[in-house]
């Protein structure tokens, strides 16, 4: 046997302070209340961060307003562009530090934070930097909205920050951003990066805290725009809270993506796509391919290959460079995954996971597949947001599309076939904002992302991503 | 001695799924002319009529959205041709609402031209709103606009121009709609429905209800099989109520705005009811 | 009589997906004990090769000496690989070492000779004591769609091999697509290949990680379906220990640990051995080694 020895990435590059204040108007200021953030792989407390209350949220919004009116709004696009380019470069320079910190705070494998998150973060800033002085050519006008209140989730902390802040700043808005309660640290390093880049104070304000802080932010009268990524339930609450205001809103919410494998699929790549679709980031991905729809003639073969492949997945220390599946982000999330998996069993689906030893401390869940699932099962309808795949079968392409679309969500979908016309046929009919054909979970700053129906509205990325931040 | 001929009065009904039913509730309400005189009885639709309208719109959606854009453009243009043929009738109906002759004529002309303008957009939207995205990898990556589904429309009080200005942008891209007509002036809407019914527009693409907005709009707003709302004709209070209800299934909501219906409408109304679908495919041997 | 041959329905290979998978596996970090284990394993899998027009008995004897005495307590390589006319020299030089003698045959590297010449080429090498024959397929026939001809030729050569193991070189650099690589792999296995081998080393690109990935998938699937295990040899362009370890990871996570022995996986190389030996020294002493501390042959 060829055993891979532990290959841990060094933590030395990261200097976590015992406590962090709120980043308001270019300064870190202590908050009245604090919360702790932990390493989900060890449950060790990493740091204490502020929990912004009403006054602090108000200060941040005011700082953003002043910066919008006095500095950032009036600044020519080409100057804004240079700040964003500068930020992009600093992110590249500090990418290893940020990757390690992201893995520590979030639990995701360093291979992903290093090879996926961080390159995409830098690319996103580069991409939108270039738009700052070209807005007149984008087709959405050139007038910024003002102050954007942005609330982001814990699954891709820094990447979601980039998706929010880069287009907002490029279009001349200023922001108050609230990172997720369990993953505030990279956002706080980003605050430091803003200072390093000499970004004018108040253009970016980072206020940490839990759900209440987010609620205070999105309901604050002083903001013109709300951008939220997170659960559909919270999305609904936000949509209600902006009703009757003039605030613009974009929401990127949950999903229950179908990954449709036709009998003429490139099977080995399809299996990789299935694995990448549901086990990337421990399945804590809104666009995860959590429903595998496989055509009956190849169902057995695909499942056999999938099980073999799953047995090679390496679960454990997020900082180990060979880890494929890291820790679940929080005890709460772990409990949800456990609960829904139990429901899956109770409803009669067959559960399988490869034998794998899980660490004693921390929050862990093995890569799991449920077979014999039907659309009626809760695990086929509800977003589990974990490394749990539900497998359904179909007989005809029409049936595949019907099942794929039979959900209130519509964020992403996958389709696997070697036949070009079938791919396009399916892609046309899948009601989802992103259709990955013969690939899955690929991302790029130039490519718009966002959902249909209850997966939210508005697009992030690409030229389309500018629309949410311009008045037109 | 001559007897004055007794006029045949028109019964104004609802337009659902290509048919003209009365409200299932059996209710109607009185429509007065500009001077306050009796004009006609209009059906007063109920929540069940809203439900039926949504069912018809949903049923029509797959077929309508699958038409080629060229075909949708042709069908809408054909509608414009038929509107032109009914100019006199629309002018008369607008005059009944209190408009002077010139104003009524102008509004009808403007409405027909607006309809023609939108008809031409069918096969251009994807070119203008879509994009080929230059991603950093061996992938073909294309974004195209797609209709969002069933649109609930609270039409404004501009009885014809405003009405066509909210219907055409919703359906040209492949959406189907359920429209609550202007409450005080719903009659041109029903006449428009008669035009639509005799055109090539498939039944169910446009469903027109007359009645009380405040009663009907919340049912549209809370209906889980409605994907989007155009609140053009909603009052401030109704807007808040509808927007809250719409949050339940994350409807796309177009809020009412100060609208000069004669102004260039731009793309806003069409974009409000479009999704962007982005398709990735590897490029390889 | 040669059986008629039908290729089973094989799923396609998506180039981008296959290359992504190979690239991802290449990021595995093999350190410390795992690295030591991998280096020694890689050494035992090396087919130490010299295939130059300028090869002489002297050169081959030197290579054989290196194969048998790689230096220190390093393990021996799997085989020495030479042209047919030097097989006898290699056999004598390696007598008693347990190291195999592989001979390229069938008008290597182009394969452009009449079948009779290829058969004689093979027969003579086997008679001279070659324990392994590395034949090349007829890429012209393959690319023109005459799979039967390719198949028949492999069957014919296989029967000339007698006890010697047959490695079938697909020359993947000329097959161009991964679909062709998969097809050719199955064709060779169905025709009786004991090993399928990527390349002659004379065509660029030679062995690559994704090509080897596709071939490893083929032997894995072939065993699952037909019950016979076939080996894989990656040859050409593998020069560093780091490269070699990437191949081992690929084997481990694609075909599986069953293939992680010299019996089922080989690395055809020449300069690779010295880099493996230098890395081995680095691991044992902690200091980087240099070319003067390993032997040249």
């Amino acid at each position: 046997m060829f055993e891979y020895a532990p290959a841990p990435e060094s933590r030395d590059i990261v200097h976590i302070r015992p406590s962090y204040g709120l980043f308001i108007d270019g300064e870190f200021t202590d908050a009245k209340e604090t919360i702790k953030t932990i390493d989900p792989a060890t449950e060790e407390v990493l740091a204490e961060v502020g929990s912004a209350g009403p006054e602090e949220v108000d200060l941040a919004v005011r700082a953003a307003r002043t910066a919008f009116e006095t500095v950032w709004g009036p600044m020519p696009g080409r100057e804004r562009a240079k700040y964003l380019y500068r930020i992009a470069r600093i992110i590249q320079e500090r990418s290893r530090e940020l990757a390690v910190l992201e893995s520590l705070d979030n639990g995701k494998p360093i291979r992903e934070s290093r090879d996926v998150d961080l390159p995409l973060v830098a690319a996103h800033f580069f991409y939108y930097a270039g738009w700052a002085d070209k807005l007149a050519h984008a087709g959405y006008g050139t007038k910024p909205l003002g102050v954007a209140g942005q609330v982001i989730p814990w699954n891709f902390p820094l990447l979601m920050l980039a998706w929010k802040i880069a287009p907002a700043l490029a279009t001349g808005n200023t922001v108050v951003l609230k990172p997720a309660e369990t993953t505030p640290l990279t956002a706080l390093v980003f605050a430091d990066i803003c200072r390093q880049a000499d970004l004018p104070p108040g253009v970016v304000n980072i206020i940490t805290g839990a759900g209440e802080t987010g609620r205070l932010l999105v309901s604050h009268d002083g903001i013109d725009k709300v951008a939220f990524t997170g659960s559909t339930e919270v999305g609904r609450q936000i949509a209600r809270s902006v009703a009757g205001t003039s605030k613009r809103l974009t929401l990127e919410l949950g999903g229950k993506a179908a990954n449709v494998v036709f009998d003429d699929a490139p099977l080995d790549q399809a299996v990789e796509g299935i694995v990448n679709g549901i086990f990337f980031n421990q399945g804590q991905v809104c666009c995860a391919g959590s429903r595998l729809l496989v055509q009956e003639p190849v169902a057995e073969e695909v499942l056999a290959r999938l099980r073999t492949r799953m047995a090679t997945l390496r679960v454990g220390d997020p900082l180990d460079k060979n880890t494929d599946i890291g820790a679940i982000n929080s005890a709460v999330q772990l409990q949800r995954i456990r609960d829904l998996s139990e429901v899956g069993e109770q409803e009669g689906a067959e559960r399988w996971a490869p034998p794998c030893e899980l660490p004693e401390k921390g929050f862990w869940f093995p890569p799991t597949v449920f077979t014999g699932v039907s659309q009626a099962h809760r695990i086929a309808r509800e977003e589990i947001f974990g490394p749990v795949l539900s497998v359904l079968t179909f007989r005809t392409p029409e049936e595949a599309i019907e099942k794929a679309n039979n959900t209130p969500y519509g964020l992403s979908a996958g389709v696997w076939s070697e036949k070009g016309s079938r791919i396009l046929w399916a892609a046309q009919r899948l009601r989802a904002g992103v259709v990955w054909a013969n690939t899955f979970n690929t991302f790029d700053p130039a490519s718009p992302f966002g959902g249909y129906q209850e997966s939210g509205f508005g697009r992030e990325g690409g030229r389309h991503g500018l629309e949410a931040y311009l008045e037109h | 001695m001559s007897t004055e001929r007794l006029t045949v009065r028109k019964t104004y009904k609802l337009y659902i799924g290509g048919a003209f039913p009365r409200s299932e509730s059996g209710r109607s309400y009185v429509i007065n002319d500009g001077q306050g005189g009796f004009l006609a009885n209009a059906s007063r639709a109920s929540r069940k009529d809203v439900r039926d309208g949504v069912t018809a719109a949903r049923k029509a959606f797959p077929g309508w959205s699958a038409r080629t854009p060229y075909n949708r453009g042709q069908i809408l243009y054909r509608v414009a041709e038929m509107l032109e043929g009914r100019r006199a009738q629309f002018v008369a109906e607008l005059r009944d609402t209190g408009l002077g002759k010139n104003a009524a004529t102008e509004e009808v002309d403007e409405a027909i031209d607006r309809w023609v303008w939108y008809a031409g957009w069918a096969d251009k939207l994807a070119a203008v709103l879509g994009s080929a995205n230059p991603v950093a990898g061996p992938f073909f990556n294309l974004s195209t606009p797609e209709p969002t589904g069933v649109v609930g429309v609270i039409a404004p009080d501009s009885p014809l121009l405003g009405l066509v200005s909210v219907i055409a942008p919703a359906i040209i891209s492949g959406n189907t709609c359920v429209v609550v007509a202007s409450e005080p002036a719903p009659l041109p809407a029903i006449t428009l429905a008669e035009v639509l019914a005799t055109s090539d527009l498939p039944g169910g693409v446009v469903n027109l209800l007359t009645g009380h907005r405040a009663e009907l709009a919340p049912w549209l707003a809370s209906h889980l099989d409605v994907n989007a709302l155009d609140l053009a004709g909603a009052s401030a209070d109704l807007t808040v109520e509808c927007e809250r209800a719409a949050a339940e299934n994350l409807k796309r909501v177009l809020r009412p705005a100060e609208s000069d219906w004669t102004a260039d409408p731009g793309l806003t109304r069409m974009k409000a009811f479009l999704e962007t679908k982005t398709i990735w495919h590897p490029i390889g041997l | 009589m040669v059986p008629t041959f039908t290729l089973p329905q094989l799923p396609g290979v998506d180039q981008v997906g296959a290359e992504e998978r190979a690239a991802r596996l290449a990021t595995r970090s093999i350190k410390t004990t795992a690295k030591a284990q991998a280096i020694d394993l890689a050494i035992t899998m090396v087919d130490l090769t010299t295939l130059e027009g300028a090869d002489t008995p002297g050169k081959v004897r030197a290579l054989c000496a290196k194969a048998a005495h790689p230096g220190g307590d390093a393990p021996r390589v799997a085989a020495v690989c030479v042209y047919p006319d030097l097989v006898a020299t290699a056999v004598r030089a390696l007598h008693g070492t347990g190291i195999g003698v592989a001979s390229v045959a069938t008008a290597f590297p182009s394969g452009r000779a009449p079948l009779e010449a290829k058969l004689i080429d093979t027969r003579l090498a086997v008679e001279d004591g070659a324990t392994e024959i590395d034949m090349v397929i007829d890429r012209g026939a393959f690319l023109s769609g005459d799979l039967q001809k390719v198949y028949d030729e492999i069957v014919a050569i296989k029967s000339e091999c007698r006890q010697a193991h047959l490695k079938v070189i697909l020359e993947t650099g000329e097959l161009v697509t991964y679909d062709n690589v998969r097809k050719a792999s199955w064709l060779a296995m169905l025709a009786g290949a004991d090993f399928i081998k990527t390349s002659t080393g004379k065509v660029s690109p030679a062995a690559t990680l994704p090509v080897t990935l596709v071939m490893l998938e083929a032997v894995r699937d072939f065993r699952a379906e037909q019950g016979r295990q076939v080996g894989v040899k990656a040859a050409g362009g593998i020069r560093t220990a780091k490269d070699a370890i990437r191949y081992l990871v690929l084997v481990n996570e694609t075909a599986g640990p069953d293939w992680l022995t010299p019996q089922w996986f080989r690395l055809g190389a020449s300069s690779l051995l010295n880099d493996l030996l230098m890395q081995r020294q680095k691991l044992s002493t902690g200091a980087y080694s240099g070319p003067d501390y390993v032997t040249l042959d």
Side-chain angles (χ1 to χ4, degrees):
Chain A
M1 274 301 285
F2 181 23
E3 295 287 355
Y4 305 162
E9 179 67 54
S10 169
R11 283 179 68 152
D12 295 350
I13 195 164
V14 170
H15 303 285
I16 302 176
R17 305 210 301 260
S19 73
Y20 293 83
L22 308 168
F23 185 67
I24 298 173
D25 207 14
E27 300 292 335
F28 280 102
T29 45
D30 287 337
K32 291 195 194 89
E33 311 273 325
T34 61
I35 50 174
K36 290 182 168 66
T37 183
I38 63 169
D39 175 352
T42 60
E43 301 178 50
E44 157 206 359
V45 173
L46 293 170
E48 216 170 60
V49 302
S51 172
E55 286 166 33
E56 291 145 331
V57 170
D58 192 51
L59 278 177
V61 172
R62 281 168 197 278
R65 173 65 56 193
T66 305
F68 172 69
E69 283 169 359
T70 61
V71 190
W72 199 249
M75 187 183 289
R78 63 174 188 191
E79 297 302 306
R80 290 201 306 269
K82 286 187 281 183
Y83 278 108
L84 289 170
Y85 280 123
R86 221 186 239 190
I87 288 170
R89 268 284 185 259
I90 299 171
I91 288 168
Q92 284 182 321
E93 285 158 4
R94 296 179 69 172
S95 74
R96 189 54 58 95
E97 171 197 355
L98 288 162
V100 172
L101 186 58
E102 196 79 308
S103 283
L104 280 170
D105 206 14
N106 168 280
K108 64 173 65 201
I110 186 73
R111 178 174 65 74
E112 289 177 7
S113 52
R114 179 196 66 200
D115 296 347
V116 182
D117 294 54
L118 261 298
L120 283 172
V121 170
H124 218 82
F125 277 98
F126 272 114
Y127 179 80
Y128 278 106
W131 270 122
D133 54 0
K134 299 168 191 68
L135 297 176
H137 307 285
Y140 305 114
T142 58
K143 197 164 173 273
L145 299 173
V147 177
Q150 307 177 317
V151 177
I152 58 170
W154 44 260
N155 57 344
F156 296 92
L158 196 61
L159 184 58
M160 291 301 102
L161 174 149
W163 282 25
K164 293 284 178 286
I165 292 185
L169 262 50
T171 45
N173 299 277
T174 57
V175 307
V176 180
L177 176 131
K178 189 196 88 72
E181 179 183 2
T182 59
T183 56
L185 295 182
T186 47
L188 292 165
V189 173
F190 180 81
D192 186 47
I193 288 171
C194 291
R195 291 211 295 198
Q196 236 182 311
D198 292 327
L199 191 73
V203 173
V204 168
N205 303 274
I206 310 256
I207 53 169
T208 49
E212 178 59 13
T213 303
R215 203 190 56 73
L216 290 167
L217 175 58
V218 301
S219 59
H220 195 287
D221 286 341
I223 61 170
D224 304 290
K225 154 84 194 165
V226 174
F228 171 76
T229 296
S231 72
T232 291
E233 198 37 58
V234 175
R236 269 191 254 280
Q237 291 165 18
I238 292 174
R240 273 183 213 116
S241 83
V242 303
T245 72
S246 58
K247 288 174 195 168
R248 292 261 301 270
L249 176 64
T250 43
L251 299 169
E252 202 269 86
L253 309 174
K256 192 75 196 177
N259 202 356
V260 181
V261 178
F262 285 107
D263 59 5
D264 62 350
L267 289 187
D268 287 300
Q269 286 70 50
V271 167
E272 281 312 306
I274 295 163
V275 166
N276 189 38
I278 187 61
F279 301 126
F280 173 57
N281 203 33
Q282 296 70 246
Q284 302 168 136
V285 186
C286 45
C287 53
S290 52
R291 279 187 298 151
L292 171 62
L293 287 171
V294 56
Q295 200 161 12
E296 287 187 9
V298 290
E300 280 311 307
E301 187 175 357
V302 166
L303 283 172
R305 285 169 191 251
L306 178 63
R307 289 196 188 97
T308 309
R309 175 67 177 88
M310 281 170 68
T312 69
L313 290 168
R314 307 171 66 85
V315 185
D317 180 8
L319 282 189
D320 190 305
K321 287 179 256 186
N322 293 324
T323 291
D324 296 314
I325 298 187
I328 301 301
N329 181 251
S330 67
V332 173
Q333 186 55 28
L334 178 61
Q335 196 53 49
R336 175 172 171 78
I337 298 168
R338 283 180 176 158
D339 289 349
L340 271 168
S341 297
E342 269 158 37
V343 168
E345 275 185 298
Q346 284 160 15
E347 289 183 336
E350 194 184 325
R351 177 179 183 159
W352 183 84
C356 60
E357 259 178 59
L358 301 177
E360 273 179 24
K361 285 213 103 175
F363 315 129
W364 307 92
F365 200 87
T368 298
V369 56
F370 277 97
T371 50
V373 180
S374 78
Q375 285 287 95
H377 288 137
R378 274 180 69 193
I379 52 170
R381 303 198 64 79
E382 293 181 28
E383 187 176 39
I384 299 174
F385 223 64
V388 181
L389 178 69
S390 298
V391 183
L392 299 88
T393 59
F394 66 91
R395 294 159 298 174
T396 64
E398 286 83 0
E399 187 185 354
I401 299 300
E402 269 174 24
K403 284 182 168 171
N405 288 341
N406 178 215
T407 166
Y409 293 116
L411 187 50
S412 67
V415 52
W416 298 83
S417 166
E418 286 269 281
K419 187 174 177 183
S421 52
R422 179 173 297 159
I423 287 279
L424 294 176
W425 180 90
Q428 201 173 50
R429 281 158 183 76
L430 288 163
R431 302 275 298 159
V434 183
V435 176
W436 283 298
N438 291 326
T439 183
F440 209 96
N441 272 345
T442 38
F443 305 93
D444 193 280
S447 179
F449 183 94
Y452 284 40
Q453 290 185 260
E454 294 193 17
S455 290
F457 41 75
R459 293 294 178 269
E460 294 179 293
R463 177 176 66 88
H464 293 79
L466 298 167
E467 184 174 12
Y469 292 96
L470 290 166
E471 211 163 85
H472 52 89
Chain B
M1 141 179 193
S2 63
T3 42
E4 205 177 327
R5 179 178 172 271
L6 189 66
T7 52
V8 178
R9 277 188 184 159
K10 179 171 170 183
T11 310
Y12 290 89
K13 297 199 283 186
L14 308 177
Y15 180 51
I16 297 174
F20 288 91
R22 287 196 167 83
S23 168
E24 66 77 34
S25 65
R27 300 177 307 179
S28 61
Y29 71 116
V30 174
I31 308 302
N32 290 324
D33 62 22
Q35 285 73 50
F38 175 82
L39 204 53
N41 284 313
S43 286
R44 188 178 152 198
S46 68
R47 65 181 166 85
K48 290 188 180 172
D49 296 315
V50 169
R51 176 200 62 191
D52 293 347
V54 172
T55 304
R58 175 58 63 194
K59 196 172 163 217
F61 178 68
W64 180 241
S65 58
R67 297 283 181 115
T68 65
Y70 177 65
N71 183 242
R72 283 199 300 270
Q74 291 274 297
I75 289 172
L76 261 71
Y77 183 73
R78 172 77 184 139
V79 169
E81 289 177 342
M82 296 170 71
L83 289 173
E84 186 82 25
R86 296 234 202 174
R87 259 175 106 241
Q89 183 185 354
F90 279 112
V91 170
E93 280 182 348
L94 288 185
R95 292 196 67 185
D96 284 343
T97 70
L99 286 185
K101 188 177 178 207
N102 285 347
T105 308
E106 268 172 37
E107 175 158 351
V108 172
D109 290 350
E110 195 65 44
I112 297 169
D113 290 356
R114 176 66 41 81
W115 195 273
V116 171
W117 186 78
Y118 274 116
W121 267 113
D123 49 8
K124 293 153 197 80
L125 280 172
V128 172
L129 301 179
S131 58
N133 308 307
V135 297
F139 293 97
F140 172 84
N141 186 293
L142 192 77
S143 294
T144 49
E146 288 207 342
T148 196
V150 174
V151 182
V153 179
I154 311 303
D157 276 336
S158 164
L160 186 65
L161 177 58
L163 182 71
V164 302
S165 297
V166 292
I167 293 177
I171 64 173
I172 190 62
S173 60
N175 294 295
T176 57
C177 62
V178 179
V179 183
V180 177
S182 162
E183 187 169 331
L187 303 188
I190 295 305
T191 305
L192 175 68
E194 287 163 10
V195 171
L196 298 178
T198 51
S199 75
D200 300 324
L201 191 76
V205 172
V206 173
N207 303 276
L208 270 160
L209 307 177
T210 53
H212 295 184
R213 281 179 183 130
E215 180 191 353
L216 301 176
W219 290 105
L220 265 180
S222 65
H223 198 304
L224 292 181
D225 206 26
V226 172
N227 301 95
L229 277 187
D230 184 342
L231 295 175
S235 66
D237 286 349
L238 188 57
T239 296
V240 177
E241 185 187 348
C242 288
E243 222 182 312
R244 283 217 180 97
E248 185 57 30
N249 69 335
L250 283 319
K251 287 181 185 67
R252 289 82 178 105
V253 176
L254 189 60
R255 293 174 177 143
E258 283 300 312
S259 279
D260 170 9
W261 296 107
T262 60
D264 177 351
L267 302 182
T268 310
R269 280 213 133 65
M270 289 186 286
K271 283 199 295 192
F273 308 121
L274 288 170
E275 304 293 333
T276 298
K277 176 186 280 178
T278 299
I279 301 172
W280 292 69
H281 195 283
I283 299 169
L285 295 173
Chain C
M1 192 191 129
V2 179
T4 36
F5 145 83
T6 43
L7 204 59
Q9 190 80 35
L10 298 170
V13 184
D14 184 82
Q15 180 192 355
V16 173
E19 290 177 357
E20 268 177 7
R21 172 70 177 143
R24 186 169 294 176
L25 284 172
T27 68
R28 288 288 192 221
S29 179
I30 305 302
K31 299 290 180 207
T32 60
T33 52
K35 190 173 183 181
Q37 190 195 6
I39 285 173
D40 279 7
L41 184 58
I43 292 172
T44 66
M45 290 172 164
V46 166
D47 278 2
L48 194 59
T49 302
T50 184
L51 293 170
E52 300 298 330
D55 283 347
T56 59
K59 160 83 180 170
V60 168
R61 278 193 293 272
L63 196 73
C64 291
K66 171 87 171 185
H69 309 286
D73 58 350
R76 286 173 176 168
V77 301
V80 164
C81 182
V82 295
Y83 270 117
D85 59 327
L86 292 164
V87 166
T89 308
V91 167
R92 274 194 298 279
L94 292 171
H95 182 73
T97 60
I99 296 170
V101 174
S103 172
V104 296
T106 70
F108 182 92
S110 71
R112 297 254 66 87
L115 177 60
E116 280 172 325
K118 295 181 185 180
L119 291 171
I120 291 169
D121 202 18
T122 306
R123 187 183 314 142
L124 295 177
V126 172
E127 280 172 6
D128 278 353
T131 54
E132 302 173 7
I133 294 295
D134 290 21
M135 73 167 285
V136 290
I137 63 163
D138 184 339
R139 285 87 74 192
F142 184 92
L143 291 172
S144 69
D146 193 354
L147 302 188
Q148 185 70 47
K149 184 178 181 206
V150 183
Y151 178 86
D152 292 348
E153 208 169 88
I154 298 170
V155 170
I157 300 291
K158 171 75 179 165
S159 74
E160 282 299 342
C161 285
R162 287 177 275 172
Q163 299 305 310
H165 273 210
L166 176 63
K167 304 200 197 94
V168 176
I169 303 172
L170 310 180
E171 196 65 302
T172 55
E174 290 182 344
L175 301 185
V176 180
T177 69
Y178 297 116
D179 287 322
N180 276 348
V181 171
R182 172 167 287 176
K183 224 192 263 186
S185 298
W186 274 78
L187 185 157
M189 292 187 288
L190 288 167
D194 298 301
F195 259 76
I196 50 176
K197 175 175 168 183
T198 60
S199 330
T200 60
K202 306 294 184 194
V203 164
S204 183
T208 65
L209 288 169
V211 151
T212 310
L213 171 84
V214 171
M215 290 169 65
L216 286 163
E217 287 165 354
V219 296
R220 175 199 67 195
D221 295 347
F222 187 79
R223 185 178 74 171
E225 204 168 289
Q226 310 259 334
R228 184 168 77 87
Q229 187 162 346
V230 174
V232 174
K233 178 172 170 182
I238 306 165
R239 294 193 180 84
T240 66
K242 196 170 195 167
D243 289 341
I245 291 171
R246 284 178 176 159
Y247 279 94
L248 297 189
V249 166
L250 204 62
V251 174
N252 192 35
E253 298 198 36
T254 307
D258 287 357
W259 269 264
L260 269 181
T261 76
Q263 193 188 347
W264 300 112
F265 190 74
R266 295 282 178 84
L267 294 159
S270 41
S271 61
L272 169 66
L273 180 58
N274 271 352
D275 196 60
L276 286 166
L277 293 170
M278 285 197 291
Q279 291 303 321
R280 201 171 182 278
Q281 287 177 18
K282 156 77 174 63
L283 279 180
S284 63
T285 64
Y288 289 106
S289 185
D292 287 348
Y293 298 88
V294 288
T295 55
L296 255 185
D297 300 306

